[in-house]
Amino acid sequence: MDYGESKDFSRALEAAYRLLAYKQRSRKELISRLQRKGFPEEIIEGVARKLETQKYLDDEAYGQTLARSLIQRKFLGRDAVRAELLKKGLDVEVVKKITEESYIELDEGDLAIQALEKKWKTLKGRPLEVAKRRASDYLRRKGFPWSVIRKVLVDKIEI
């Protein structure tokens, strides 16, 4: 079906452009927003395909940008980044590729230390075992695997 002449298609496309001008979104997020605006499914799908051919909608590029931001700003570990990308509606294989690429040159131990620096100041006055347990819980919530947490708490924490 040719949507070029359809007023609904033009309105949906304009709405999509406005949504993408505000912030980059995944395909699933954009489709969800257009559905909430009441556009028909076939129109939404046509808009999504057109935006993908124009490179305005690219889940892999969006995922790479989001992963980089989560790592640099929030110091999140691999598991938390993976969960955030999946929550945004990205394909499992795309998420796997992005997380692998994002952590190739990163030392997760150093990233965990950066994440823990501010938190450790509040834990210093506590008994060592309590502080380590809370630090461990904190790093787990930040998405770091146990192997990294153990290494950071054993090797890196200065008393």
Side-chain angles (χ1 to χ4, degrees):
M1 179 175 186
D2 183 20
Y3 296 107
E5 304 298 317
S6 166
K7 280 191 174 187
D8 279 344
F9 183 81
S10 296
R11 284 187 24 248
L13 188 59
E14 281 301 313
Y17 283 139
R18 280 193 306 276
L19 288 167
L20 292 171
Y22 177 69
K23 75 173 208 160
Q24 193 176 12
R25 299 173 195 274
S26 70
R27 186 179 211 281
K28 181 181 175 186
E29 288 175 308
L30 182 70
I31 287 172
S32 175
R33 293 296 296 261
L34 292 176
Q35 287 170 336
R36 281 191 273 170
K37 291 182 178 286
F39 292 107
E41 291 295 323
E42 61 275 359
I43 297 288
I44 293 171
E45 192 55 42
V47 166
R49 278 195 305 274
K50 181 174 179 112
L51 291 171
E52 285 171 337
T53 60
Q54 295 175 332
K55 301 294 184 201
Y56 286 117
L57 196 59
D58 182 346
D59 277 358
E60 190 167 335
Y62 170 68
Q64 289 169 340
T65 302
L66 182 58
R68 196 173 320 112
S69 174
L70 292 169
I71 292 167
Q72 291 173 349
R73 291 185 175 177
K74 295 188 176 186
F75 306 112
L76 293 184
R78 189 180 304 257
D79 295 344
V81 169
R82 184 179 301 116
E84 284 296 317
L85 294 176
L86 289 171
K87 191 165 44 170
K88 295 293 185 179
L90 301 181
D91 180 67
V92 174
E93 289 302 314
V94 171
V95 169
K96 183 178 178 183
K97 179 182 177 198
I98 291 169
T99 51
E100 285 174 6
E101 289 173 358
S102 297
Y103 287 92
I104 284 176
E105 294 182 13
L106 283 177
D107 180 353
E108 274 190 282
D110 290 342
L111 191 60
I113 290 170
Q114 287 179 296
L116 190 55
E117 278 179 352
K118 189 174 180 181
K119 183 73 171 173
W120 190 251
K121 291 175 188 171
T122 66
L123 298 175
K124 264 189 171 179
R126 301 180 185 272
L128 184 60
E129 290 309 311
V130 172
K132 282 189 172 186
R133 182 175 37 83
R134 289 193 177 183
S136 170
D137 293 346
Y138 176 76
L139 290 174
R140 190 64 201 134
R141 287 191 305 274
K142 286 281 204 176
F144 292 98
W146 290 115
S147 59
V148 170
I149 295 170
R150 197 173 310 112
K151 183 177 179 189
V152 166
L153 293 180
V154 170
D155 297 343
K156 305 289 184 181
I157 296 297
E158 294 181 19
I159 303 166

